[in-house]
Amino acid sequence: MAVKVAAAFFFMLFFLSTACQAKLSSSFYDKSCPKAESTIRAAIRTAIARERRMAASLIRLHFHDCFVQGCDASILLDETSSIQSEKTAGPNDNSVRGYEVIDKAKSKVEKICPGVVSCADIIAVAARDASACVGGPSWAVKLGRRDSTTASRDLANTDLPAFTESLDKLKSRFQKKGLTARDMVALSGSHTIGQAQCFTFRDRIYNASNIDAGFASTRKRRCPRTGGQANLAPLDLVTPNSFDNNYFKNLMRNKGLLHSDQVLFNGGSTDSIVSEYSRNPAKFSSDFASAMIKMGNIHPLTGSAGQIRRICSAVN
């Protein structure tokens, strides 16, 4: 009898989990706000036309949102007496960007469909549109997420990957979120349009042994041993404004800017994936799109959970 009860219980949990996931659909707003995606796309294109670097920032914003509490727009909440904002967590503070772009897109969507489209969905759509805007892949974004009413600075400090971490540590972090090593390498490929601050790669360019000497010398010009903490350098020196597979070619030449980049090709288990993507840009694009869809499904709030925020930086 106990076995039957346990079996029924686990079946119920599986059914509820499946039903929850089924609520995410690429057609979620087709009737309630049919112009939602085109409105968001216009706002994203305007922002990237003004500053091309914003494309990478919006993809990273989605990543940093989903890795903390799931894809629930908790990263957008400002500090209050009851909310410890994730914006001031170590990995985000003076680093994550694009909040104002999401706010602008939300404002435009609210004008046509007030109280309908979540900030969490806007972040997901913005990441897709950012990729497409700079020559990267596009994909059908599953929609129907709702916004959290809480944030967690503590989780942001503990769950987000760090630029100093080993390959095994990075793989473990992604695995805990339901993402494979291939997903991790594919998602890292978005660094091809990203930039990093001097303090994140200073140790590598001055002290690492697995770095191309000429590449290190070039990077030292903008990143002195002391000072210049926030000086920027492109993660892809070859084609920093185009979404392509040069990032992986750079890794194979020991030209990864961050330690966490180069560990993907350093005699470890992901070398073969990096090598494959360096030879096959179509495979990289396909895997990147699949990994973004998968990441966008990390613990979304659906149904009656959470809320639809009117302003992304504050609960209703």
Side-chain angles (χ1 to χ4, degrees):
M1 180 66 179
V3 173
K4 289 183 178 180
V5 171
F9 175 72
F10 284 115
F11 176 79
M12 180 180 71
L13 287 179
F14 173 78
F15 176 79
L16 289 173
S17 174
T18 304
C20 177
Q21 291 298 317
K23 291 177 183 177
L24 289 185
S25 165
S26 58
S27 60
F28 189 84
Y29 297 114
D30 281 3
K31 293 183 179 179
S32 60
C33 192
K35 293 184 178 179
E37 289 193 65
S38 61
T39 302
I40 298 167
R41 186 180 305 115
I44 300 312
R45 285 178 175 173
T46 298
I48 295 173
R50 189 180 302 116
E51 183 195 9
R52 198 165 176 85
R53 178 190 169 203
M54 187 55 68
S57 297
L58 291 170
I59 293 171
R60 185 167 180 247
L61 179 64
H62 186 32
F63 172 75
H64 279 232
D65 180 41
C66 291
F67 261 57
V68 181
Q69 295 191 171
C71 307
D72 61 359
S74 60
I75 194 171
L76 303 181
L77 288 171
D78 285 339
E79 188 90 6
T80 69
S81 59
S82 60
I83 291 175
Q84 287 194 329
S85 178
E86 294 168 21
K87 292 180 179 181
T88 53
N92 297 334
D93 193 26
N94 295 316
S95 176
V96 170
R97 306 166 69 245
Y99 302 118
E100 73 286 353
V101 176
I102 301 300
D103 289 342
K104 176 76 73 166
K106 174 65 170 175
S107 176
K108 290 184 178 297
V109 171
E110 282 293 300
K111 288 179 180 177
I112 60 171
C113 306
V116 173
V117 181
S118 70
C119 300
D121 276 345
I122 291 175
I123 294 175
V125 172
R128 185 270 313 275
D129 293 341
S131 169
C133 201
V134 292
S138 185
W139 56 91
V141 179
K142 293 182 179 180
L143 303 166
R145 300 168 191 80
R146 288 170 64 84
D147 300 323
S148 71
T149 56
T150 63
S152 178
R153 184 186 301 142
D154 289 342
L155 284 179
N157 280 321
T158 59
D159 283 16
L160 287 166
F163 57 86
T164 56
E165 289 180 340
S166 68
L167 178 60
D168 285 343
K169 181 64 175 178
L170 292 170
K171 285 168 63 179
S172 174
R173 287 193 183 280
F174 279 75
Q175 186 177 30
K176 287 177 181 177
K177 304 299 179 182
L179 299 169
T180 66
R182 178 171 288 270
D183 294 327
M184 178 183 72
V185 176
L187 290 170
S188 298
S190 65
H191 286 185
T192 192
I193 53 170
Q195 297 188 43
Q197 297 181 62
C198 170
F199 79 91
T200 64
F201 60 85
R202 177 184 283 121
D203 183 64
R204 174 159 165 74
I205 62 174
Y206 284 100
N207 300 316
S209 58
N210 61 339
I211 189 169
D212 178 86
F215 174 74
S217 179
T218 299
R219 286 287 154 255
K220 288 175 184 177
R221 294 172 196 164
R222 287 277 298 156
C223 186
R225 284 187 181 273
T226 58
Q229 292 287 85
N231 289 357
L232 293 171
L235 290 160
D236 174 8
L237 187 61
V238 183
T239 53
N241 293 316
S242 299
F243 194 106
D244 55 30
N245 67 334
N246 270 321
Y247 168 81
F248 301 106
K249 295 178 181 179
N250 293 337
L251 295 185
M252 296 183 70
R253 297 169 184 145
N254 282 340
K255 294 182 179 181
L257 186 58
L258 302 177
H259 172 79
S260 54
D261 288 325
Q262 196 59 58
V263 294
L264 301 180
F265 190 85
N266 194 43
S269 59
T270 54
D271 281 18
S272 60
I273 305 173
V274 171
S275 180
E276 179 184 4
Y277 289 160
S278 75
R279 299 189 311 269
N280 193 337
K283 178 61 174 171
F284 161 52
S285 289
S286 174
D287 282 1
F288 178 77
S290 296
M292 287 293 287
I293 292 171
K294 198 170 173 182
M295 185 182 77
N297 285 336
I298 296 176
H299 303 306
L301 298 174
T302 58
S304 59
Q307 63 179 211
I308 304 297
R309 289 186 220 139
R310 300 277 182 165
I311 300 173
C312 289
S313 59
V315 298
N316 297 342

